[in-house]
């Protein structure tokens, strides 16, 4: 069936009643986010150029879950030019405080 019906399977989300989540709660990150190419990585976070061409600053904290495929990763493992999906909430200064970063 369609992509939206397969979302959970594509991102290792559990099927109802079938075990724990492979990454931190919440199951489906809510709020804001950006999907696109990583432009740069720094000690504080990264910059992602969204599909609309707009660059978005992303802050990363110790509570941010970073996944490369099925594996856990660290901010230092991320590289410019890689596609990523970022889920989080914008802070008062504008950047997204990331709760989950998934690299493809």
């Amino acid at each position: 069936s369609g992509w939206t019906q397969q979302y959970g399977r594509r991102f290792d989300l559990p099927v109802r009643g079938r075990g724990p989540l492979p990454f931190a709660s919440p199951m489906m990150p809510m709020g804001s986010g950006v999907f696109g190419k990583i432009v740069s990585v720094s000690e504080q976070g990264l910059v992602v150029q969204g599909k609309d061409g707009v660059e978005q600053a992303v802050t990363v904290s110790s509570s941010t879950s970073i996944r490369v495929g099925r594996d856990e990763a660290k901010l230092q493992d991320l590289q410019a030019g890689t596609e990523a999906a970022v889920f989080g909430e914008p802070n008062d200064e504008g950047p997204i405080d990331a709760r989950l970063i998934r690299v493809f």
Side-chain angles (χ1 to χ4, degrees):
S1 64
W3 193 90
T4 56
Q5 287 80 18
Q6 298 295 319
Y7 183 87
R9 190 172 318 154
R10 293 177 193 266
F11 294 102
D12 291 332
L13 297 177
V15 177
R16 260 187 210 151
R18 281 202 198 164
L21 200 58
F23 52 84
S25 296
M27 194 161 131
M28 288 296 295
M30 303 307 264
S32 299
V34 61
F35 176 78
K37 188 182 298 184
I38 297 174
V39 175
S40 64
V41 180
S42 70
E43 290 181 19
Q44 295 77 30
L46 51 133
V47 175
V48 177
Q49 183 178 32
K51 296 297 180 182
D52 58 2
V54 175
E55 292 184 1
Q56 177 67 52
V58 177
T59 57
V60 176
S61 70
S62 60
S63 63
T64 303
S65 177
I66 301 174
R67 307 287 293 186
V68 176
R70 295 177 182 223
D71 301 321
E72 290 186 37
K74 297 184 185 302
L75 181 61
Q76 301 87 336
D77 298 328
L78 304 183
Q79 298 178 0
T82 307
E83 295 286 324
V86 177
F87 300 92
E89 294 289 334
N91 63 36
D92 293 337
E93 288 80 42
I96 295 173
D97 290 332
R99 287 190 308 214
L100 170 66
I101 300 173
R102 181 163 295 269
V103 178
F104 304 100

